[in-house]
């Protein structure tokens, strides 16, 4: 995938999906700093749904040029059926690999 991280000194808005396991519980979010936001999820810094269900794997993300379009896309995906989300993830990540090291530059 393309990064939602640094492009020169600018960070790109990003829609992302986290999961706790293959085809398990999912969380759809939007952020202007994907590495920071996913790090927060991984460290359980935001209590609630993701902490309760151990949702820490970054399985899909999509960069946007501007935050309004990212927010619109997040709202759209949140309304989708689980199967549609599975199809979206599996188009680019069929094995539901954790993509965090890819975005954090730890490859």
């Amino acid at each position: 995938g393309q990064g939602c991280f640094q492009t020169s000194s600018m960070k790109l808005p990003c829609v992302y999906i986290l999961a706790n396991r293959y085809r398990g519980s999912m969380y759809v979010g939007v952020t202007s700093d994907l590495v920071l936001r996913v790090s927060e999820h991984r460290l359980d810094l935001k209590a609630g749904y993701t902490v309760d269900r151990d949702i820490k794997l970054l399985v899909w993300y999509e960069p946007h040029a501007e935050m309004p379009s990212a927010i619109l896309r997040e709202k759209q995906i949140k309304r989708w059926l689980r199967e549609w989300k599975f199809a979206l993830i599996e188009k680019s990540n069929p094995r539901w690999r954790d993509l965090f090291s890819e975005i954090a530059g730890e490859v």
Side-chain angles (χ1 to χ4, degrees), residues 29-78:
V30 66
T31 182
S32 58
D33 188 337
L34 189 62
V35 173
L36 177 65
R37 189 70 186 97
V38 174
S39 297
E40 291 171 349
H41 284 294
R42 292 167 82 88
L43 296 169
D44 291 338
L45 297 180
K46 306 280 185 186
Y49 183 83
T50 57
V51 172
D52 296 346
R53 289 161 185 78
D54 198 34
I55 297 173
K56 292 180 165 67
L57 305 173
L58 177 67
V59 293
W60 179 87
Y61 61 92
E62 179 181 85
H64 285 257
E66 297 178 354
M67 190 51 91
S69 70
I71 291 168
L72 207 62
R73 178 76 161 148
E74 178 211 22
K75 288 180 176 172
Q76 176 190 53
I77 294 170
K78 279 188 176 205

Side-chain angles (χ1 to χ4, degrees), residues 1-2 5 16-18 34-35 38 42 56-62 89 92-107:
Q2 302 293 69
F5 18 86
Y16 63 95
I17 300 176
L18 300 177
L34 189 62
V35 173
V38 174
R42 292 167 82 88
K56 292 180 165 67
L57 305 173
L58 177 67
V59 293
W60 179 87
Y61 61 92
E62 179 181 85
I89 293 163
S92 60
N93 188 6
R95 292 195 303 274
W96 290 54
R97 283 184 313 110
D98 185 5
L99 305 173
F100 184 72
S101 61
E102 176 182 302
I103 64 153
E106 300 168 6
V107 178

Side-chain angles (χ1 to χ4, degrees), residues 73-89:
R73 178 76 161 148
E74 178 211 22
K75 288 180 176 172
Q76 176 190 53
I77 294 170
K78 279 188 176 205
R79 290 193 303 264
W80 285 8
L81 298 171
R82 282 177 61 81
E83 290 297 324
W84 298 0
K85 293 174 193 168
F86 293 162
L88 180 68
I89 293 163

